[in-house]
Amino acid sequence: MITIKDIAEAANVSPATVSRVINNGPKVGPKTREHVKAVMDKMGYRPNINARALVTQKSTSLGLVLAELMDPFFATYANAIENVARKANTQLLMSSGSVQADTELKAIETLLNHRVKAMVVHAKFLDDDTLIQLARQAPGFVLINRYIDAIKHRCVWLDNVAGGRMMAEHVLKLGHRKIAVISSDFAIEDRVQREQGIRESLAEWGVDLSDSQIVHAAPNQEGGEIAMRQLLASGARFTAILAYNDAMAAGAINTLYDHNLEVPRNVSVMGFDDVLQAQFCRPKLTTMNYPIELMASQAASLALDYAQGKQPDTDVTYKYLPTIVARNSVARCIG
Amino acid sequence: MITIKDIAEAANVSPATVSRVINNGPKVGPKTREHVKAVMDKMGYRPNINARALVTQKSTSLGLVLAELMDPFFATYANAIENVARKANTQLLMSSGSVQADTELKAIETLLNHRVKAMVVHAKFLDDDTLIQLARQAPGFVLINRYIDAIKHRCVWLDNVAGGRMMAEHVLKLGHRKIAVISSDFAIEDRVQREQGIRESLAEWGVDLSDSQIVHAAPNQEGGEIAMRQLLASGARFTAILAYNDAMAAGAINTLYDHNLEVPRNVSVMGFDDVLQAQFCRPKLTTMNYPIELMASQAASLALDYAQGKQPDTDVTYKYLPTIVARNSVARCIG
DNA sequence: TTGTACGCGTTATCAC
DNA sequence: GTGATAACGCGTACAA
């Protein structure tokens, strides 16, 4: 690789002058500037960003931690962050595959070692204390999809309890009283919170949710199919299904069709997340829109701001609410 | 940020000794080693990877250029690369959003400036010469989904012409003779090549493909819907549709249903890529499997190998072929 | 076994 | 306007 020194030598100037040319420095003669530029062009010079970062003590990359790139939810998230990064002339340093506490920790540490200027972290398994400590080490550290009170101005999160309530209320208002839940078997708080919201809402309406009405499986389409089969086999009665996410809802619908149950004529099914799949489904899914794109953009901007020394707005909080998207998989109960 | 010098000072040793401890250097006493480790732990030392890269002249990051993270095709691609990277203890430096020649160029140059050890590049708009020149600057430069003869051992690509032929033959063998094509309006070679393959195959079977039987639109679901409406409005006659990708196929199916045409009873529809959507569709799509995961892994390994100085196998080429996945959207022609 | 000194590529602070 | 020179954080040859 050709360096600033090589250019200096070939152009008969000092490295300092070359550096000035590169950075559009103020004090350099017009003809030397042109000359140096020409030499750089001819020799194919490329600035070494790492060396630059070393001396300037500032990085030009933004760290990103996520669980699973192939999940459309995370793809949307990553894409939104990338857009913010690009506008800030920042490169994305990504670490996917964080599905356990130790991989999450390793991902964050690696990013820290790379001296990223800021980072947006999706971490569901690491404990609060570790996260708090990590956050203190990096000014531009922002958590997404998680709330920790001690670092609340670094958290961009969704109110899952409210989301669960909204789901339940939606079908309750449409007359459904026999409701079943297909939830995730992943040990993360989201599912617990959504279930809690559902339970709260049902309780308020005086509707019972027995343990047999709620089944857990992997949070993907196959899991949805399995859960639905389990529900049908158990003899549970229901006119509406609340699913943990759109993939599970789609799986549930598949299984219902296989059992000659039509959606929404015989059974209503509601999803969560509103990923693209919700629109591909037949029928198109009624679901909760998770404003992940908005949240991710917010998180990235926030991280970049903090990295630049901006102080947190004490009275601002970054809690988001999902919204109901009424499509065709939920109908009024005619039982 | 706390440095190696701080540790040295606090531990009463020289920076060199600390460095040895960090890198598990051979010549350092057991008790000093423990002592230094303890100090590092207490002070929360983090190696500066950039500084390390500067002196060792080797990077620990792998560059990745792609067009659109939210496209499931690219998500699969990125995910496969990430898996290879992780196994090689390598961080992913990603640049998405390359949808024009200049953004592609900028993405590659940025990665080069970061001195990534290797890079896998998806570039559809840059001209061959630029790519060849870029490739010569970086030993670990590998192109995916594109073939350039001058750097053929750096190309991992799909034979799109063969893919087009396979599609056409599949429906021809099922008796279809009235065939329409829904293609992309993106100015990239893939579509031209697939259309060429289709034409070749049809010609061999003596089947005509008039210009009115082929329409172009955006390569997504909406484009598929639009193209299908156009086809129906034009009065074209067909019993089988060959779509540019699964999204367009899904869109086409939607429109057909809206016109009370059942798939595959009235019309057969075939997709391309075999992304997840192909399985979510109703009916599940018959499509061409694009082994993008395999290809991406191959490309990443290759890039890493070349970066380590491995010489290209002269007699090996990285051409891949798609395979037919027969699901439920194509049936024997009963016209 | 440990320490000293140098260099990686770059920017910044001085002089001139 | 331009050029030495020192630093950034680290690894390593060499000396001790």
Side-chain angles (χ1 to χ4, degrees), chain A residues 86 115 221 254 280 282, chain B residues 46 96 221 254 280 282:
Chain A
R86 191 181 16 249
R115 299 295 189 270
Q221 183 157 345
N254 276 354
F280 297 156
R282 290 205 154 244
Chain B
R46 299 201 173 284
S96 169
Q221 182 158 344
N254 277 353
F280 297 156
R282 290 202 155 245

Side-chain angles (χ1 to χ4, degrees), chain A residues 46 49-50 68 82 86 91-96 110 113-115 137 221 254 277 280 282, chain B residues 46-47 49-50 68 79 82 86 91-96 110 113 115 137 221 254 277 280 282:
Chain A
R46 298 200 173 284
I49 294 202
N50 295 328
E68 168 64 75
E82 224 275 338
R86 191 181 16 249
Q91 214 54 26
L92 217 59
L93 203 54
M94 204 187 63
S95 196
S96 167
T110 307
N113 294 351
H114 274 273
R115 299 295 189 270
Q137 291 178 41
Q221 183 157 345
N254 276 354
Q277 188 182 351
F280 297 156
R282 290 205 154 244
Chain B
R46 299 201 173 284
I49 294 203
N50 296 328
E68 168 63 75
N79 186 62
E82 224 275 338
R86 191 183 13 247
Q91 215 52 24
L92 218 57
L93 204 52
M94 205 186 62
S95 194
S96 169
T110 307
N113 293 352
R115 299 292 189 273
Q137 290 179 43
Q221 182 158 344
N254 277 353
Q277 189 182 351
F280 297 156
R282 290 202 155 245

Side-chain angles (χ1 to χ4, degrees), chain B residues 17-271:
Chain B
T17 301
V18 179
S19 177
R20 289 189 190 100
V21 172
I22 293 168
N23 301 298
N24 286 316
K27 289 162 182 300
V28 49
K31 58 191 170 201
T32 25
R33 162 163 284 143
E34 286 318 307
H35 178 51
V36 170
K37 272 190 177 169
V39 174
M40 291 200 310
D41 246 42
K42 197 179 59 188
M43 301 184 65
Y45 169 76
R46 299 201 173 284
N48 184 325
I49 294 203
N50 296 328
R52 185 179 288 173
L54 192 58
V55 50
T56 59
Q57 298 284 55
K58 12 187 144 282
S59 148
T60 58
S61 52
L62 173 68
L64 176 58
V65 174
L66 49 78
E68 168 63 75
L69 248 188
M70 287 193 58
D71 185 326
F73 180 83
F74 285 110
T76 311
Y77 155 57
N79 186 62
I81 305 254
E82 224 275 338
N83 286 336
V84 175
R86 191 183 13 247
K87 276 173 199 154
N89 253 311
T90 296
Q91 215 52 24
L92 218 57
L93 204 52
M94 205 186 62
S95 194
S96 169
S98 302
V99 288
Q100 296 170 27
D102 58 338
T103 48
E104 283 180 359
L105 182 59
K106 186 152 180 265
I108 297 172
E109 286 183 328
T110 307
L111 258 22
L112 247 24
N113 293 352
H114 274 275
R115 299 292 189 273
V116 292
K117 75 164 123 181
M119 58 196 295
V120 179
V121 174
H122 175 95
K124 285 295 186 185
F125 300 99
L126 275 180
D127 57 289
D128 286 7
D129 287 344
T130 307
L131 253 10
I132 293 168
Q133 204 175 339
L134 251 14
R136 297 217 194 289
Q137 290 179 43
F141 184 104
V142 167
L143 269 181
I144 195 163
N145 295 354
R146 176 151 174 178
Y147 178 78
I148 299 177
D149 199 62
I151 49 172
K152 63 180 161 199
H153 50 282
R154 314 256 212 136
C155 296
V156 177
W157 55 290
L158 186 85
D159 189 339
N160 278 300
V161 177
R165 297 181 63 104
M166 292 166 84
M167 282 184 100
E169 272 163 28
H170 183 65
V171 295
L172 284 164
K173 282 182 184 160
L174 288 170
H176 294 275
R177 291 296 178 271
K178 291 174 186 155
I179 295 166
V181 175
I182 290 184
S183 188
S184 163
D185 61 359
F186 239 48
I188 63 176
E189 56 186 11
D190 301 42
R191 98 163 203 223
V192 179
Q193 293 167 347
R194 289 183 199 168
E195 288 177 20
Q196 181 193 330
I198 293 172
R199 282 182 201 283
E200 286 178 8
S201 190
L202 291 180
E204 284 170 17
W205 286 62
V207 173
D208 189 50
L209 180 69
S210 69
D211 283 350
S212 62
Q213 303 283 114
I214 176 166
V215 294
H216 298 268
N220 53 38
Q221 182 158 344
E222 199 187 346
E225 291 170 0
I226 293 170
M228 193 68 239
R229 281 199 291 271
Q230 198 176 323
L231 214 46
L232 288 166
S234 76
R237 311 282 291 178
F238 47 81
T239 61
I241 305 280
L242 303 181
Y244 174 72
N245 62 20
D246 295 336
M248 294 192 87
I253 290 176
N254 277 353
T255 299
L256 286 168
Y257 272 95
D258 291 343
H259 286 73
N260 288 318
L261 289 165
E262 258 184 55
V263 177
R265 208 167 61 89
N266 305 112
V267 181
S268 287
V269 176
M270 190 162 181

